[in-house]
Amino acid sequence: MSENSQSPFAPATGVGSLPGGDAREAARTVTGSFETFPHLPELPARGPGADMIGRTAGMLVELYARVEPSGWRIGDHPGRDTKRARSWLGEDLDALEEFTQDYQGPLKVQAVGPWTLAAALELRNGESALSDPGACRDLAASLTEGLRLHLAEVRRRIPGARPVLQLDEPSLTAVLRGHVKTASGYRTHRAVDRQLVEATLRDVVGVHDGGPVVVHSCAPDVPFALLRRAGAAAVSFDFSLLTERDDEAIGEAVENGTRLFAGVVPGTDTALSDPAGSVMGVRTLWRRLGLRPGLLPEAVTITPACGLAGASPQYARTAYAHCVRAARSLADNPE
């Protein structure tokens, strides 16, 4: 794999999840596709503990979760579900380490952010942790410590890598708007105060001291301004969900140095347009915002719209190659 410049990012990368259950095959796909910005693959098809919530629950420190029929529930001690999640993460790191010998450059690892985790994990009473401010605080603190250990492990295994931490927050907008359903499904949890959401995110982002953090959401209405204030160096999103309502927040983010991870390649099997066609919308946005075209390659990383767990293996490889070609098209013809 080629050595990259000292930029914290590169022109293209993946979001996180891939189809199948073979860690070595996934690592080979990622490192072969993204020579200057690989990421740690996630393989949720393996089952509970390999899914994004279970995987992150396995990283928690002094908090444990187990699988119940309704989902993941916080418990008192590490059970087989925690052990399975940790074992799979170790297997994925082993495979990535094998395929990144002598690699130098940015390397992305993903974990669920504190608010999506609070919305997804249940307390002993079956309600979401989101219902209890104290539980949310404990969860964020445990996650922060777990991420500190995870990043240290990545640095130890791949010494030339410059880790980029991605926090997956698909439920963030629902948390802010009070749209997360209670256990009964008849009501919703009240909206969490925006300042508290921002402060908690800032604390978790701060764990990657000196390193860049990306916040990813493939839901509509990503809160760009809040994420920028919380310290996110980049925001990753499904480009097809943007509306002109987002223009002002995106323009401010770019002008303040926030990088955009533009998800322009569909996450499930479909016929793909030519690479230049895939980034046409990005160029159109740039013109609408009145931003300098030459800034595009410095400000945008091209990705799939979301994880590729629901795609076929063949499409996943094609989508990754397409991201690389689309990013090249953007750099060669920013106008």
Side-chain angles (χ1 to χ4, degrees):
M1 296 178 66
S2 59
E3 184 169 334
N4 197 28
S5 69
Q6 289 301 305
S7 164
F9 303 114
T13 190
V15 172
S17 65
L18 284 170
D22 185 330
R24 290 186 78 253
E25 182 56 36
R28 183 187 287 112
T29 295
V30 167
T31 54
S33 302
F34 301 117
E35 294 188 357
T36 58
F37 199 0
H39 67 88
L40 180 64
E42 300 167 2
L43 302 172
R46 292 181 295 198
D51 60 299
M52 61 188 272
I53 299 299
R55 185 183 187 88
T56 302
M59 294 182 192
L60 297 175
V61 172
E62 294 179 5
L63 274 180
Y64 310 102
R66 64 179 187 273
V67 179
E68 297 286 340
S70 52
W72 285 89
R73 183 170 295 182
I74 294 170
D76 296 318
H77 51 81
R80 65 180 183 198
D81 298 320
T82 299
K83 288 172 185 155
R84 189 191 298 124
R86 290 176 177 173
S87 170
W88 273 329
L89 178 58
E91 193 180 297
D92 293 338
L93 284 167
D94 288 345
L96 189 65
E97 183 180 359
E98 178 186 342
F99 286 96
T100 49
Q101 297 296 312
D102 304 321
Y103 174 68
Q104 294 189 315
L107 170 72
K108 185 164 69 66
V109 297
Q110 306 82 220
V112 176
W115 293 108
T116 296
L117 200 60
L121 286 183
E122 298 173 359
L123 300 173
R124 288 172 186 81
N125 64 4
E127 279 299 349
S128 148
L130 197 61
S131 64
D132 181 337
C136 289
R137 271 197 307 277
D138 292 347
L139 199 51
S142 172
L143 174 64
T144 302
E145 189 52 37
L147 290 173
R148 192 188 314 281
L149 296 172
H150 181 49
L151 288 163
E153 174 76 353
V154 170
R155 289 189 191 98
R156 184 184 69 75
R157 285 169 172 266
I158 309 166
R162 299 193 299 278
V164 173
L165 173 62
Q166 175 178 304
L167 297 175
D168 291 320
E169 281 283 16
S171 300
L172 184 60
T173 302
V175 167
L176 288 165
R177 294 186 175 173
H179 291 171
V180 177
K181 282 189 163 46
T182 58
S184 71
Y186 296 121
R187 295 186 304 111
T188 56
H189 295 286
R190 70 178 59 166
V192 180
D193 178 75
R194 293 182 78 87
Q195 286 180 304
L196 176 59
V197 168
E198 185 182 319
T200 302
L201 276 168
R202 188 180 298 114
D203 288 346
V204 178
V205 165
V207 72
H208 196 16
D209 187 28
V213 176
V214 185
V215 179
H216 168 73
S217 171
C218 44
D221 300 320
V222 175
F224 287 93
L226 184 151
L227 296 174
R228 178 170 57 79
R229 291 193 304 270
V235 180
S236 169
F237 55 95
D238 179 343
F239 192 85
S240 71
L241 297 179
L242 286 187
T243 68
E244 293 196 17
R245 258 199 337 262
D246 298 304
D247 281 7
E248 188 179 342
I250 290 176
E252 280 181 15
V254 172
E255 283 168 358
N256 281 277
T258 306
R259 193 172 182 101
L260 305 180
F261 278 42
V264 299
V265 178
T268 50
D269 292 41
T270 188
L272 295 173
S273 68
D274 68 295
S278 293
V279 289
M280 195 184 299
V282 181
R283 291 194 185 95
T284 303
L285 170 69
W286 229 244
R287 282 196 294 272
R288 210 164 63 225
L289 295 176
L291 293 168
R292 182 170 57 83
L295 183 63
L296 260 174
E298 298 166 31
V300 175
T301 291
I302 297 299
T303 72
C306 213
L308 296 174
S312 67
Q314 176 60 45
Y315 177 79
R317 288 190 291 271
T318 301
Y320 275 7
H322 195 84
C323 287
V324 172
R325 288 198 296 271
R328 196 172 299 134
S329 163
L330 207 55
D332 292 346
N333 302 296
E335 302 279 355

